[in-house]
């Protein structure tokens, strides 16, 4: 039987509402014994703006451990040329969001980003990578930032704590879920949650609507690209680019992501893409 994909944003958020699941996931990915995670509470995923024109930060899942460490978990389905900058941007906002004017820097909390990526970020075989602030010899500068990437498309080696979680996120059917043989209570709970959500008519309808939107959007982008190539007239090109910008903005894409898309789709320079954004970005 087909299931609602755990890669679906809403499904993942529902999964991590379950404290048993999120503690087990953090234990496996961060290498923290589960008994040492007394709390892993969900926080407001909206990061406040300090200035009127500053970009609002919206995180997929925001957690806080009992030692005040803050953790952002996100799933990214499509590759982006500026993904690394986006990740650092949100982690930086998370790091500075609560520090008030005049407060000591010692109040800044350690921040960890966990990105579940449905594409290959690197050509290396490793599918769970951890990045720190350190020098060229590997000496740690600070532990305030830590970034984990989990690449779902890579071949599993069978010796990582992340393996079964990757199998879970890649599952497309109930049979795929049954193939995950584990004694871990948290992972078994996650499998049960996915099965339960897949039986919900309301959630399945929402999932099908979401998938239709993704398919329609892909078809629309392809049409936009083909029209832009075929017609080539400046006024038509402007109209097509304006439509693409509006679509991506409505989809929640950042200005940097839209700019990268314009450069890629229409072979624009950075300056040309920025000029279009200046005209059509709402």
């Amino acid at each position: 039987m087909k299931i609602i994909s755990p890669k679906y944003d809403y499904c993942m958020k529902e999964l991590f509402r379950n404290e048993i699941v999120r503690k087990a996931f953090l234990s496996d990915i961060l290498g923290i014994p589960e008994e040492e995670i007394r709390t892993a509470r969900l926080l407001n995923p909206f990061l406040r703006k300090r200035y009127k024109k500053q970009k609002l930060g919206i995180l997929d899942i925001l957690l806080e451990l009992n030692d005040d460490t803050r953790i952002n978990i996100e799933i990214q389905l499509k590759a982006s040329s500026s993904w690394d900058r986006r990740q650092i941007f949100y982690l930086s906002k998370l790091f500075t969001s609560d520090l008030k004017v005049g407060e000591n820097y010692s109040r800044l909390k350690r921040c960890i980003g966990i990105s579940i990526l449905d594409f290959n970020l690197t050509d290396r075989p490793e599918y769970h990578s951890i990045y720190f602030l350190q020098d060229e010899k590997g000496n740690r500068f600070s532990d305030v930032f830590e970034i984990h990437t989990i690449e779902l498309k890579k071949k599993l080696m069978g010796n990582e704590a992340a393996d079964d979680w990757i199998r879970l996120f890649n599952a497309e059917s109930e049979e795929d879920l049954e193939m995950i043989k584990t004694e871990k209570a948290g992972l078994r709970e996650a499998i049960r949650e996915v099965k339960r959500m897949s039986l919900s008519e309301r959630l399945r309808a929402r999932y099908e609507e979401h998938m239709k939107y993704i398919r329609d959007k892909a078809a629309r982008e392809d049409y936009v690209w083909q029209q832009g190539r075929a017609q080539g007239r400046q006024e038509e090109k402007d109209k097509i680019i304006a439509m693409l910008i509006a679509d991506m903005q409505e989809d929640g894409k950042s200005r940097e992501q839209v700019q990268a898309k314009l450069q890629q789709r229409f072979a624009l320079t950075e300056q040309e893409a920025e000029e279009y954004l200046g005209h059509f970005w709402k």
Side-chain angles (χ1 to χ4, degrees), residues 111-173:
C111 292
I112 300 174
I114 301 176
S115 292
I116 303 165
L117 308 175
D118 200 29
F119 57 88
N120 289 344
L121 183 66
T122 72
D123 294 329
R124 301 191 303 269
E126 295 85 7
Y127 43 88
H128 178 199
S129 301
I130 310 172
Y131 300 93
F132 303 100
L133 288 173
Q134 58 190 39
D135 68 14
E136 70 279 4
K137 295 180 180 178
N139 298 308
R140 192 74 57 85
F141 175 72
S142 172
D143 68 348
V144 295
F145 279 178
E146 184 176 319
I147 296 175
H148 292 247
T149 58
I150 300 170
E151 298 168 68
L152 300 180
K153 296 292 189 184
K154 290 186 175 178
K155 182 179 178 181
L156 300 180
M157 301 175 188
N159 57 358
E160 283 271 357
D163 287 6
D164 281 335
W165 291 101
I166 291 174
R167 293 187 181 100
L168 174 71
F169 282 109
N170 282 329
E172 297 180 353
S173 67

Side-chain angles (χ1 to χ4, degrees), residues 93-220:
K93 283 186 70 70
L94 182 59
F95 184 61
T96 60
S97 61
D98 282 344
L99 191 68
K100 298 179 177 60
V101 175
E103 286 187 333
N104 194 287
Y105 291 120
S106 63
R107 293 181 60 85
L108 292 168
K109 301 170 182 177
R110 182 168 178 251
C111 292
I112 300 174
I114 301 176
S115 292
I116 303 165
L117 308 175
D118 200 29
F119 57 88
N120 289 344
L121 183 66
T122 72
D123 294 329
R124 301 191 303 269
E126 295 85 7
Y127 43 88
H128 178 199
S129 301
I130 310 172
Y131 300 93
F132 303 100
L133 288 173
Q134 58 190 39
D135 68 14
E136 70 279 4
K137 295 180 180 178
N139 298 308
R140 192 74 57 85
F141 175 72
S142 172
D143 68 348
V144 295
F145 279 178
E146 184 176 319
I147 296 175
H148 292 247
T149 58
I150 300 170
E151 298 168 68
L152 300 180
K153 296 292 189 184
K154 290 186 175 178
K155 182 179 178 181
L156 300 180
M157 301 175 188
N159 57 358
E160 283 271 357
D163 287 6
D164 281 335
W165 291 101
I166 291 174
R167 293 187 181 100
L168 174 71
F169 282 109
N170 282 329
E172 297 180 353
S173 67
E174 194 167 345
E175 290 72 22
D176 291 338
L177 294 177
E178 296 297 336
M179 292 292 290
I180 304 173
K181 305 298 183 184
T182 180
E183 297 300 318
K184 296 178 180 178
L187 194 50
R188 292 202 305 270
E189 179 76 7
I191 293 170
R192 283 194 292 269
E193 285 283 347
V194 173
K195 289 181 179 179
R196 178 188 62 77
M197 284 187 277
S198 297
L199 292 174
S200 165
E201 291 185 10
R202 178 184 61 81
L203 189 55
R204 181 170 287 281
R206 185 170 178 176
Y207 174 64
E208 293 299 336
E209 182 182 351
H210 173 72
M211 295 308 296
K212 180 180 183 299
Y213 168 77
I214 289 177
R215 289 190 294 269
D216 290 349
K217 181 173 178 292
R220 189 163 61 246

Side-chain angles (χ1 to χ4, degrees), residues 31 203 205 223 231 275:
L203 189 55
Y223 170 78
Q231 297 180 25
E275 287 176 0

